[in-house]
Amino acid sequence: MNLTVIQLRGNRVLTTAQLAENYEVDVKQISKNYTRNAERYMEGKHFYLLQGEELREFRANRQIDELPSNLNKLYLWTEKGAWLHAKSLNTDKAWEAYELLVDEYYKVIEQPPQYNSLELALKAALEHEQAIKEIKTDVDCLKESMRIDGLQQQEIQQAAKQSIVHALGGKDSNAYQEISKKVFSAFWNEFKQYFKVPRYGDIPKVKYEEALRFISLWRPSTSLQIEIDSCNSQMAFG
């Protein structure tokens, strides 16, 4: 990760453009995230807003050479601000980029503070380590709650359709013509009950592969299979 280091008030920060580049989104998306959730962002905690004399002084320090000459406001995002943006975007890429930012940018310690004793130094180190663990735990929890995307929904739907049609004996079978709706309904009821979701699109991403395996192994219940066989035998001997 090759980022121009920007420091403000003892903290490393990122511009909106840097954050957007790492999350692989447009700058406007970062601005929209902030506008839509402005009540959640606290100045001094999630971001610093530079304008007026403070912006002129910052520009004079030349930490960033590419600042537009007509810029009158500059948002600089802290680690916690970057976390809120990743949460709003809620994409695999955003979370991966956020973890890299924490490990390779925000948490690169400049000069450790001076302590009066080894005990205080150890205490600070433990607190720092605990904070990192808490952040990573939050990221892992959010990843587990992410739902499958549109493409994955289509793949699940297509795989389910193929499995059900095969169980019916094909689209040309008598069972398909007479009871396909019943069999489709039975499948989706079992599917949603197994994954404990109200609709298949609510499956967490972490269970996507399990969902495909469920579909590949699914077979009609005994009573439903008997009904399918009965319908198809009528076609064969009727």
Side-chain angles (χ1 to χ4, degrees):
M1 181 171 290
N2 187 20
L3 283 170
T4 299
V5 176
I6 305 172
Q7 293 185 332
L8 185 70
R9 303 172 193 173
N11 297 311
R12 286 194 172 189
V13 291
L14 288 174
T15 65
T16 300
Q18 287 176 315
L19 203 56
E21 181 180 358
N22 279 274
Y23 287 171
E24 293 189 4
V25 296
D26 191 89
V27 169
K28 292 180 180 179
Q29 185 62 55
I30 300 296
S31 298
K32 285 180 181 179
N33 282 344
Y34 170 68
T35 302
R36 291 171 181 169
N37 304 282
E39 72 282 356
R40 297 185 180 181
Y41 290 85
M42 295 176 57
E43 186 170 359
K45 179 179 180 181
H46 300 106
F47 68 93
Y48 298 111
L49 174 57
L50 304 186
Q51 49 190 336
E53 183 61 30
E54 192 172 19
L55 177 56
R56 285 190 288 274
E57 290 179 2
F58 180 80
R59 191 193 296 274
N61 290 333
R62 301 191 66 81
Q63 291 195 65
I64 311 175
D65 293 328
E66 64 272 16
L67 287 178
S69 58
N70 61 345
L71 185 71
N72 55 23
K73 286 184 180 181
L74 178 64
Y75 286 86
L76 296 173
W77 304 99
T78 67
E79 177 191 328
K80 291 181 179 179
W83 184 86
L84 280 183
H85 280 295
K87 183 178 180 182
S88 294
L89 292 169
N90 203 20
T91 63
D92 288 336
K93 179 59 188 176
W95 285 122
E96 289 169 7
Y98 172 74
E99 290 184 276
L100 281 175
L101 287 173
V102 170
D103 292 337
E104 299 183 19
Y105 184 79
Y106 284 116
K107 290 304 180 185
V108 175
I109 306 301
E110 290 81 29
Q111 291 298 322
Q114 299 299 312
Y115 296 95
N116 294 328
S117 68
L118 179 59
E119 181 180 353
L120 288 176
L122 289 173
K123 180 180 179 182
L126 288 172
E127 289 175 350
H128 177 75
E129 182 180 355
Q130 181 61 31
I132 295 296
K133 287 181 179 178
E134 290 175 359
I135 289 173
K136 290 188 177 293
T137 298
D138 288 341
V139 171
D140 290 340
C141 288
L142 284 166
K143 279 186 175 180
E144 290 179 4
S145 67
M146 288 176 64
R147 298 175 181 177
I148 55 174
D149 57 36
L151 179 59
Q152 290 172 323
Q153 289 186 37
Q154 290 179 15
E155 290 174 345
I156 285 175
Q157 191 175 45
Q158 185 62 30
K161 182 178 179 181
Q162 291 176 355
S163 180
I164 297 166
V165 170
H166 178 75
L168 285 162
K171 287 189 175 181
D172 295 328
S173 69
N174 209 37
Y176 183 85
Q177 301 299 323
E178 293 186 9
I179 60 172
S180 60
K181 289 184 178 179
K182 180 177 182 179
V183 179
F184 270 87
S185 178
F187 168 83
W188 287 116
N189 284 338
E190 288 182 42
F191 185 89
K192 290 183 287 187
Q193 183 177 7
Y194 178 85
F195 289 100
K196 296 180 175 60
V197 292
R199 52 184 295 276
Y200 75 92
D202 291 329
I203 295 174
K205 272 181 174 287
V206 294
K207 292 194 174 183
Y208 171 67
E209 295 297 335
E210 184 180 349
L212 293 179
R213 178 168 171 75
F214 176 96
I215 293 169
S216 68
L217 296 175
W218 179 83
R219 300 292 183 272
S221 65
T222 301
S223 60
L224 193 55
Q225 186 63 59
I226 290 173
E227 192 171 352
I228 291 171
D229 293 344
S230 177
C231 286
N232 289 336
S233 65
Q234 291 174 19
M235 178 177 65
F237 301 106

